[in-house]
Amino acid sequence: MTRKSNTFGLAVLVLVGATASVRAIEPVDQGYVRSLAAPGKTVLVMEYSDATGAVVERKGYASADGFKAVSGTEFRINSDTTVKLYGLEACDGDMVNQSEGYTGSCADWALNGLTTELKNPKVIYCRAFISEQNAAEQDASCYLYTYFPGAMDSVYNLEEQLVSTGFLRLENDGSGNLLRPDLEESAAIGKEGYGMWADPRVQAQ
């Protein structure tokens, strides 16, 4: 089951330091994201900003085989670097979703969701703070551009999609505050019974 949202959440980035802070930046330029597409390739662009929101560097990658999920919240850029979808997590333990015919671990359910989303995009466009630039695991917010002639021509936020369909949920910090409050609306959609939320055990977590 796939549920594409018509709204765009604001990209949320993490400033890594003694105390993590979160800020929202401007919505993505859909025309720019579409312009990054290249025939026969999946293009990944990592855009790094400073604390003022100014873009200070971009790195581009292209792959004929796409970019693969390594967990429900991470995908690999290369042998040295993964992208982590900031502020999201799988549910705990096992789950059942009878309408989807799924019985298994929450971790595998989340991995299935991210793997599916990464199968067909022409562009993966991610935003992160400059402090993430050289990290092996880079916290980021990502958008996908997916195009099927005559069927789909869409740029959408990856985290919003995975949360609203119940593959992932919002993560709390150590004080119980949401790391991604910008996605509360998407989380409310998921909790209507999609994905993990069809299982009462997950609802009770």
Side-chain angles (χ1 to χ4, degrees):
M1 180 274 295
T2 302
R3 181 189 181 103
K4 302 293 184 194
S5 173
N6 293 322
T7 63
F8 273 81
L10 295 181
V12 173
L13 304 175
V14 186
L15 182 60
V16 177
T19 301
S21 63
V22 178
R23 66 177 175 84
I25 60 175
E26 292 300 313
V28 70
D29 181 339
Q30 296 186 37
Y32 170 67
V33 174
R34 288 184 171 91
S35 75
L36 299 171
K41 304 283 188 180
T42 299
V43 174
L44 168 63
V45 172
M46 295 295 300
E47 185 176 272
Y48 301 97
S49 301
D50 63 19
T52 71
V55 177
V56 294
E57 186 165 353
R58 292 185 179 96
K59 291 184 179 180
Y61 308 84
S63 172
D65 299 322
F67 297 89
K68 309 303 182 184
V70 295
S71 75
T73 58
E74 295 174 272
F75 63 90
R76 185 168 299 285
I77 297 178
N78 53 40
S79 59
D80 299 319
T81 311
T82 59
V83 174
K84 169 72 167 61
L85 300 178
Y86 174 69
L88 306 187
E89 65 180 7
C91 54
D92 297 326
D94 294 328
M95 55 164 281
V96 174
N97 184 309
Q98 293 182 347
S99 65
E100 297 288 340
Y102 181 81
T103 299
S105 71
C106 289
D108 284 347
W109 174 252
L111 178 59
N112 290 344
L114 183 54
T115 297
T116 299
E117 289 297 322
L118 294 178
K119 279 184 178 179
N120 297 306
K122 289 186 169 296
V123 176
I124 305 170
Y125 170 70
C126 298
R127 289 166 161 173
F129 273 117
I130 192 62
S131 55
E132 299 293 304
Q133 182 181 8
N134 297 314
E137 181 184 281
Q138 300 186 10
D139 285 330
S141 176
C142 299
Y143 290 80
L144 304 184
Y145 169 43
T146 301
Y147 176 71
F148 294 102
M152 179 179 288
D153 183 355
S154 179
V155 178
Y156 59 93
N157 182 264
L158 178 56
E159 302 96 88
E160 185 179 57
Q161 171 71 2
L162 291 168
V163 170
S164 65
T165 51
F167 283 102
L168 293 171
R169 65 186 181 187
L170 303 185
E171 184 180 9
N172 293 321
D173 64 15
S175 301
N177 299 310
L178 292 176
L179 295 175
R180 292 294 302 270
D182 61 307
L183 293 176
E184 284 189 275
E185 183 178 341
S186 298
I189 293 172
K191 288 180 179 179
E192 292 176 6
Y194 296 105
M196 69 172 76
W197 300 108
D199 191 324
R201 294 173 299 176
V202 174
Q203 298 172 20
Q205 289 181 6

